[in-house]
Amino acid sequence: MNVLLVGSGGREHALAWKIAQSEQLQKLFVAPGSDSIATLPHTNCIDIGATDCQALVNFAKDNNIDLVIIGPEQPLAEGLADLCIKHNINVFGPTQQAAQLEASKIFAKNIMLEAGIPTANSQSFTNLSSINDYLKQASYPLVIKADGLAAGKGVAVCQTQIAAMDFASSIFEEQKFGTAGAKALVEECLIGRECSILGITDGKTIRLLESAQDHKRLKDNDQGPNTGGMGAYSPSPIFTPSLKEKVLAHVFQPLLTTLQKKNIPYCGIIYAGIMVTHDAFYVLEFNARFGDPETQVILPRLDSDILDLFMHAVDGTLAHADIRWKNEAALTIVMASKGYPESSEKGIPIEGLETKLTNAIVFHAGTKKVEEQWQTNGGRVLAVTSIAPNLAQARATGYENVKHITFAGSQTRSDIGKDI
Ligand code: AMP
Ligand code: GLY
């Protein structure tokens, strides 16, 4: 098969790494990819941006692409899958309408209410004065979410009215999130433990992938601002077989039924961010794609051929797919650049990438190679994944492994997987 993978981050490096191992792969093209992705076998990076939908489709037609796989949320929200379908190109990734599950938190909330999926109580707002009126009489803590895509940064857990009003004004007055902040949700704050549950679906059948736990806050002990994710591990011990059954019955099945009822087809990954409280669980968000950095711990554990799985989803035969997992644990530690998540420092030399690490895969999220020297080139720079028979060992090996890689200003949490 000739495959076109869209994206360039750590998640796409993990996807490309796994796709490159498929026996069915002839050639993998990655748009735009990265210097590290380009080093994978059978892989070429092409200079087309991830949201340049027409150019991507033209490339797919000109190069006999058998399958387009869409990594990030932006091209999904912009309708890349729709354009592929229009041109009869196989595509793994939902249509623009289906991707609203991620691209609009209010759309997702309405679907959850219609489907009876457990989720936090909430109210939506379209301007500063009405949200402020609400915030003045609300009880705290509460959560404010910009409606649209904000790279994981559009959500604030607010302990006080002052903090809430500040965040509301960053959405509606400063317009920090642009049109993604044209609307906002205020949600009750849930206390519990989170895990990320990803399922692959053809719109009729959903098959859950192994669970993962992300660490979204920048600093240890879940302090500091929300980020795209500072580390992750798989499996998540809180995702017990009984919770898995409940999540299938009360989240994914009703979600698929509701999408079908609304004539919204869905081929791709559905990611549910779940909060498990002492006696219940709630969906915090849906994503319409693989998680980043969850993918960097889930895919190393997948034993099956990933292209086989993707083709089952495209063909509507997922019920028959053979999905096998390795009985191992994986833990990834993100190394972010100075200033992240507000900004990022580019061009800083990275040392130690040639070191032979123990049972590790170093996924590059934001790097480039300049005259044989790897440099930082984004907010999240590396996701160092370590694999071991169990999580405690993966964590111990992981923290030994990251010691060998250094760059000025690097930010790393020291408690990834500490709560296992
Ligand atoms: P989201 O993008 O909606 O998943 O939100 C990002 C992060 O904010 C989540 O991973 C949680 O850590 C936190 N969060 C979101 N919604 C809530 C909520 N209702 N209660 C408590 N924390 C939340
Ligand atoms: N790691 C969270 C996300 O991918 O949205």
Side-chain angles (χ1 to χ4, degrees), residues 214 216 228 271 285 287 289-294:
D214 182 13
K216 288 215 170 90
Y271 163 138
E285 64 162 345
N287 292 323
R289 36 113 193 135
F290 277 103
D292 187 347
E294 289 91 332

Side-chain angles (χ1 to χ4, degrees), residues 103-296:
S104 165
K105 288 188 187 287
I106 295 173
F107 176 91
K109 190 62 91 174
N110 290 338
I111 292 259
M112 284 192 257
L113 293 177
E114 190 175 336
I117 294 170
T119 183
N121 291 319
S122 71
Q123 203 147 330
S124 63
F125 297 92
T126 53
N127 61 63
L128 189 62
S129 70
S130 62
I131 197 170
N132 275 345
D133 286 346
Y134 180 87
L135 295 175
K136 278 180 202 150
Q137 48 77 47
S139 44
Y140 289 82
L142 51 69
V143 184
I144 305 184
K145 303 183 171 186
D147 181 49
L149 295 178
K153 294 157 206 159
V155 174
V157 178
C158 305
Q159 301 296 336
T160 62
Q161 185 182 316
I162 295 174
M165 286 182 145
D166 266 1
F167 194 67
S169 101
S170 77
I171 296 176
F172 287 116
E173 205 165 48
E174 292 157 40
Q175 304 190 347
K176 190 171 165 190
F177 306 106
T179 52
K183 297 182 202 153
L185 267 185
V186 177
E187 232 176 62
E188 72 177 307
C189 186
L190 301 167
I191 310 291
R193 284 186 66 180
E194 286 180 55
C195 67
S196 309
I197 310 300
L198 284 74
I200 179 169
T201 184
D202 54 16
K204 299 176 294 192
T205 302
I206 184 149
R207 306 281 301 272
L208 296 193
L209 308 184
E210 284 287 283
S211 59
Q213 173 114 22
D214 182 13
H215 296 256
K216 288 215 170 90
R217 300 291 195 94
L218 180 69
K219 294 186 185 292
D220 283 9
N221 300 315
D222 291 333
Q223 302 296 308
N226 266 323
T227 69
M230 292 298 291
Y233 57 84
S234 173
S236 163
I238 60 169
F239 197 64
T240 57
S242 110
L243 183 59
K244 179 174 176 175
E245 237 171 72
K246 287 186 197 147
V247 166
L248 266 174
H250 300 295
V251 178
F252 288 110
Q253 298 299 358
L255 175 64
L256 281 191
T257 306
T258 305
L259 290 174
Q260 280 166 359
K261 213 168 72 192
K262 296 172 108 52
N263 286 320
I264 302 178
Y266 201 114
C267 168
I269 296 290
I270 301 180
Y271 163 138
I274 289 183
M275 179 78 87
V276 183
T277 63
H278 68 287
D279 61 351
F281 68 87
Y282 300 87
V283 174
L284 297 179
E285 64 162 345
F286 284 118
N287 292 323
R289 36 113 193 135
F290 277 103
D292 187 347
E294 289 91 332
T295 307
Q296 291 90 310

Side-chain angles (χ1 to χ4, degrees), residues 304-348:
S304 311
D305 186 316
I306 198 166
L307 288 182
D308 215 36
L309 272 185
F310 289 157
M311 283 315 293
H312 272 297
V314 169
D315 293 338
T317 53
L318 256 185
H320 310 296
D322 171 31
I323 312 185
R324 281 167 287 110
W325 297 95
K326 294 179 190 162
N327 194 14
E328 290 171 335
L331 181 137
T332 199
I333 300 165
V334 168
M335 303 182 76
S337 70
K338 191 174 163 188
Y340 181 73
E342 287 296 321
S343 61
S344 60
E345 209 171 54
K346 297 187 176 159
I348 305 297

Side-chain angles (χ1 to χ4, degrees), residues 6 18 21 45 47 61 65 75 106 124 148 159 174 178 182 216 270 297 352 374 388 419-420:
V6 177
K18 185 68 187 167
Q21 294 166 33
C45 291
D47 190 17
K61 285 204 296 197
I65 295 296
I106 295 173
S124 63
Q159 301 296 336
E174 292 157 40
K216 288 215 170 90
I270 301 180
V297 288
W374 287 102
D419 53 352
I420 293 163

